[in-house]
């Protein structure tokens, strides 16, 4: 295990140094129809794009070349591809493309070569006088599908998935009741890491609802996860535990790091690129020591933030979502370094943060 | 079969309304039924919410008078019988601080998280239609399977499977009680009524209501209500759905009120809530009796008198006559009508506790006590909500009341023989409930309590003066202090001063 971690660190180290010449940008959305490109080190919004026919941007996926942002909007019902240089709409899939269906997206990612988008769709058939909830499916779109894109492949999927992520190898992972590995050619779904029926000794079924892609600058998916130690006395508050569940998108290894009891709600987390610390937020921002798992520092935030992210150099941790500001803290001691207020203070709601280099 | 209480013409008019307004989406069959619509029964509020959803979600356009007529027609032909609503009337009657009773725990875990259990239990349909309702939920709320208390289970499979099965068994479309109720003659409500009630924290009411028929189960009402120190006169309109569901509005000098009552099956009494049109938490529970040849005592105010203290007691009822006596007390009647007897009462101390009060051959209970031994604040757990502040949602106040008790013969508090002495005049205060609320200074920011035990919450929205810029919510204790000479008694309740509810549907 240790060996793999070191190996992956080296790999990412190489990737990062090759990028260090590029400039770093943060991409966020806001209600009803805005997409912002932020020069984060300059604390400045560099570009503001308007997404046509949009209500509430949420998830965002960036093409591997960093040129196009695919935004989930319209209350989970549309995927809109925006060219990050010109702001042009280069792709659009309204998921209600089938007659009489209402379809929500609950997870999206892009293939590692940038040619295909994977959308986890939950459809409902709208009859004249009743609704019929259908089984969810994976819809695969070609990224060159144009402005009325329709899926080229569809596969049935388990229910209640809330996040998709593509590993470096091209394998697709889906987090839901369990963590699944999905074959995007055949639709085959295998449990890659059990959660609902997990095999962790003396631990209850965990609860984790992750929506936040925080792997852009560290190559690792992570999320706070809570569970109960069933071997501890009922009146011992220490039995309520918080861990970080992570999937290394390079090695495809899962890890669970138990680091504290459950004194606070945490919505999202991000690993430091050096993988020695991680950060998690909601009403508080905490710094987690991963080498000797414990909470090394905790501060109160000025309001609730959903997503946590980090700069490529590992010096700054970012929190965003819920309001119109991104707050910036030092990864070293969680001291406040600054903030970016979005122009006209639009509501970021549940939009995600993505980090790109260009 | 045409139910005997609904005329051929009414049936024809109702079915024409369904055909005109609904058959574009709900197929009419040769047997006269409409798809979906004919396969369920609901309360008047349930039907009205249903039609509202057709308008909001499905673009139905319907004239207000047609909507009202359809609610009436559907409630009369596909309503719930009195016995079918009995367990869940508190919610239907919009009583504040209701802790639901008669709740099936499995169903509650699945279905009483976003709305009350009553919303479910006040509908009747078979399994296939419960399943259709589950499909509507799944297709309307993207997050339903992901929310806390859903996501650890396969919510969809459970809801479409065992939950729909159970709902179909517990709350089926066809029941004997509904068939019997349809076959029972539904009574005309016009006439003279006697009415008594209690406003928590404020005191008792007794009065009269005159009901005049306007035809088609519509009535005009005239109220004369006596409160301590004032008499209020009001006028209004009411309608009766399903033969017993009395719904009314009335205008009094200072406020508009609503009534949601249920009539007894013989049509001679009604009970329910009488509340401010905009503040359903300002509500009193009433009982109304028709002034028939029957007679009886409806209320005694105050319900308890202290030994040795001459007290004015008002006995309210219908057709009261004869001698007034109270065991262990001297009674001097100062005025008497068939509705209302006023007497000076002085208990001599030979008896204590609940004793017999009689007016002629009618009997009731008067309580006699030597001292208040302890008090309780009701509700033990109250809820208020921030509001106003220029926003669209008014504040929801919380009303508390202090009730006195004596220990009873065993001289021990909290045992079965304790005697309830009714509402007491106390002084009110609020304080922080816990260490956490003390740190947030909730008592300072959340609101204040009036001399009558009404907690008035603060305005909605973030408060920049508070830690984290949080809103004016708070976790408080409400403290009542009763002074009896040198003795000081206190009691507490828990108050959650919370945020607004963004929608306040007729059935929460």
């Amino acid at each position: 295990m240790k060996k793999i971690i070191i190996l992956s660190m080296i790999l990412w180290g190489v990737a990062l140094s090759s990028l260090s010449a590029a400039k770093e940008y943060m991409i966020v959305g806001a209600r009803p129809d805005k997409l912002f490109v932020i020069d984060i080190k300059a604390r400045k919004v560099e570009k503001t794009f308007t997404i046509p026919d949009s209500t509430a941007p949420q998830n965002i996926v960036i093409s591997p070349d960093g040129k196009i942002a695919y935004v989930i909007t319209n209350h989970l019902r549309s995927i809109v591809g925006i060219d990050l240089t010109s702001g042009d709409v280069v792709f659009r899939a309204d998921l209600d493309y089938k007659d009489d269906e209402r379809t929500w997206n609950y997870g999206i990612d892009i293939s590692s070569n940038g040619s295909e988008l994977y959308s986890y769709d939950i459809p409902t058939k709208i009859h004249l006088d009743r609704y019929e909830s259908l089984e969810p499916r994976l819809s695969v779109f070609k990224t060159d599908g144009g402005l009325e894109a329709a899926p080229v492949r569809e596969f049935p999927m388990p229910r209640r998935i809330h996040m998709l992520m593509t590993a470096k190898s091209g394998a697709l992972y889906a987090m839901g009741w369990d963590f699944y590995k999905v074959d995007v050619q055949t639709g085959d779904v295998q449990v890659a890491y059990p959660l609902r029926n997990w095999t962790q000794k003396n631990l209850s079924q965990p609860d984790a609802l992750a929506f936040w892609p925080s792997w852009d600058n560290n190559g690792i998916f992570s999320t706070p996860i809570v569970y109960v130690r069933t071997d501890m006395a009922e009146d011992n508050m220490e039995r309520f535990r918080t861990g970080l569940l992570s999937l290394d998108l390079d090695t495809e290894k899962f890890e669970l790091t138990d680091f504290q009891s459950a004194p606070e709600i945490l919505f999202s987390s991000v690993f430091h690129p050096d993988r020695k610390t991680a950060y998690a937020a909601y009403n508080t921002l905490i710094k987690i020591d991963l080498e000797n798992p414990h909470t090394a520092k905790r501060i109160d935030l000025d309001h609730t933030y959903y997503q946590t992210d980090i700069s490529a150099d590992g010096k700054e941790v970012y929190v965003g979502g819920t309001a119109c500001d991104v707050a910036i803290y030092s990864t070293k001691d969680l001291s406040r370094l600054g903030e970016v207020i979005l122009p006209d203070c639009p509501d970021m709601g549940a939009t995600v943060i993505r980090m790109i280099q260009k | 079969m045409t139910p005997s209480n609904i005329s051929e013409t009414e049936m024809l008019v109702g079915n024409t309304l369904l055909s005109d307004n609904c058959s574009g989406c709900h197929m009419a069959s040769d047997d006269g039924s409409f798809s979906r619509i004919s396969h369920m029964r609901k309360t008047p509020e349930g039907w009205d919410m249903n039609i509202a959803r057709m308008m909001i979600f499905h673009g139905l356009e319907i004239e207000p008078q047609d909507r009202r007529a359809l609610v009436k027609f559907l409630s009369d032909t596909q309503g719930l019988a009195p016995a079918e609503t009995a367990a869940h009337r508190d919610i239907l009657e919009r009583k504040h601080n209701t802790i639901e009773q008669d709740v099936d725990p499995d169903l509650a875990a699945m279905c009483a998280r976003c709305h009350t259990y009553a919303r479910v239990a006040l509908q009747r349909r078979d399994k296939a239609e419960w399943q259709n309702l589950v499909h509507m939920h799944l297709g309307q709320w993207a997050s339903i399977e992901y929310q806390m208390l859903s996501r650890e289970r396969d919510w969809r499979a459970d809801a479409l499977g065992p939950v729909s099965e159970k709902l179909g068994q517990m709350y089926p479309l066809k029941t004997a009680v509904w068939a019997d109720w349809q076959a029972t003659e539904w009574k005309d409500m016009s006439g003279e009524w006697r009415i008594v009630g209690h406003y928590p924290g404020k005191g008792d009411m007794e009065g009269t209501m005159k009901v005049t028929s306007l035809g088609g189960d519509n009535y005009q009402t005239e109220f004369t209500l006596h409160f301590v120190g004032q008499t209020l006169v009001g006028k209004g309109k009411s309608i009766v759905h399903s033969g017993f569901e009395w719904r009314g509005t009335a205008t009094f000098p200072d406020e508009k009120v609503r009534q949601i009552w249920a009539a007894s099956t013989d049509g001679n009494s009604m009970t329910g809530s009488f509340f401010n049109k905009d503040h359903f938490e300002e509500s009193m529970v009433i009982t109304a009796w028709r002034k028939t040849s029957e007679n009886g005592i409806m209320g005694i105010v105050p319900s308890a008198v202290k030994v040795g203290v001459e007290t004015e007691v008002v006995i309210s009822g219908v057709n009261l006559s004869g001698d007034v006596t109270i065991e262990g007390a001297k009674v001097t009647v100062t005025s008497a009508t068939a509705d209302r007897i006023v007497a000076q009462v002085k208990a001599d101390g030979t008896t204590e506790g609940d004793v017999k009060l009689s007016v002629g051959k009618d009997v009731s209970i008067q309580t006699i006590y030597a001292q208040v031994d302890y008090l309780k604040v009701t509700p033990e757990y109250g809820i208020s909500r921030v509001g106003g502040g220029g926003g669209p949602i008014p504040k929801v106040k919380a009303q508390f009341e202090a009730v006195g008790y004596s220990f009873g013969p065993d001289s021990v508090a909290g045992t079965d023989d304790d005697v309830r002495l009714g509402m007491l005049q106390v002084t009110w205060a609020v304080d922080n409930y816990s260490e956490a609320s003390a740190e947030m200074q909730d008592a300072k920011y959340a609101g204040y309590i009036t001399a009558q035990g009404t907690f008035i919450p603060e305005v909605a929205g973030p408060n920049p003066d508070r830690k984290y810029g949080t809103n004016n919510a708070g976790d408080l204790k409400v403290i009542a202090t009763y002074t009896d000479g040198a003795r000081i008694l206190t009691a507490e309740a828990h108050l959650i001063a919370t945020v607004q509810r963004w929608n306040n549907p007729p059935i929460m």
Side-chain angles (χ1 to χ4, degrees), chain A residues 102 129 133 159-161 207, chain B residues 35 139 145-146 151 156:
Chain A
R102 169 186 296 167
D129 61 358
S133 152
R159 290 204 83 81
R160 224 223 62 179
I161 281 169
D207 186 30
Chain B
S35 71
E145 294 172 87
Y146 293 88
R151 62 178 178 253
R156 182 178 181 275

Side-chain angles (χ1 to χ4, degrees), chain A residues 283 301-304, chain B residues 386 436-437 439-442 445-446 458-475 497-499:
Chain A
N283 285 327
L301 291 168
D302 56 339
H303 64 81
T304 303
Chain B
V386 297
S437 46
E439 196 191 318
M440 290 296 293
Q441 295 187 278
D442 285 353
Y445 290 110
E458 265 303 332
V459 294
N463 182 344
D465 295 342
R466 299 201 72 176
K467 194 172 170 190
Y468 307 127
T470 188
N471 54 36
N472 289 318
D475 188 10
T498 186
V499 296

Side-chain angles (χ1 to χ4, degrees), chain A residues 268-287:
Chain A
S268 64
S269 62
V270 62
F271 271 46
H272 191 281
D274 72 9
R275 312 267 180 107
K276 288 181 183 159
T277 56
Y279 304 83
Y282 185 65
N283 285 327
T284 50
L285 173 64
I286 63 171
K287 174 172 176 169

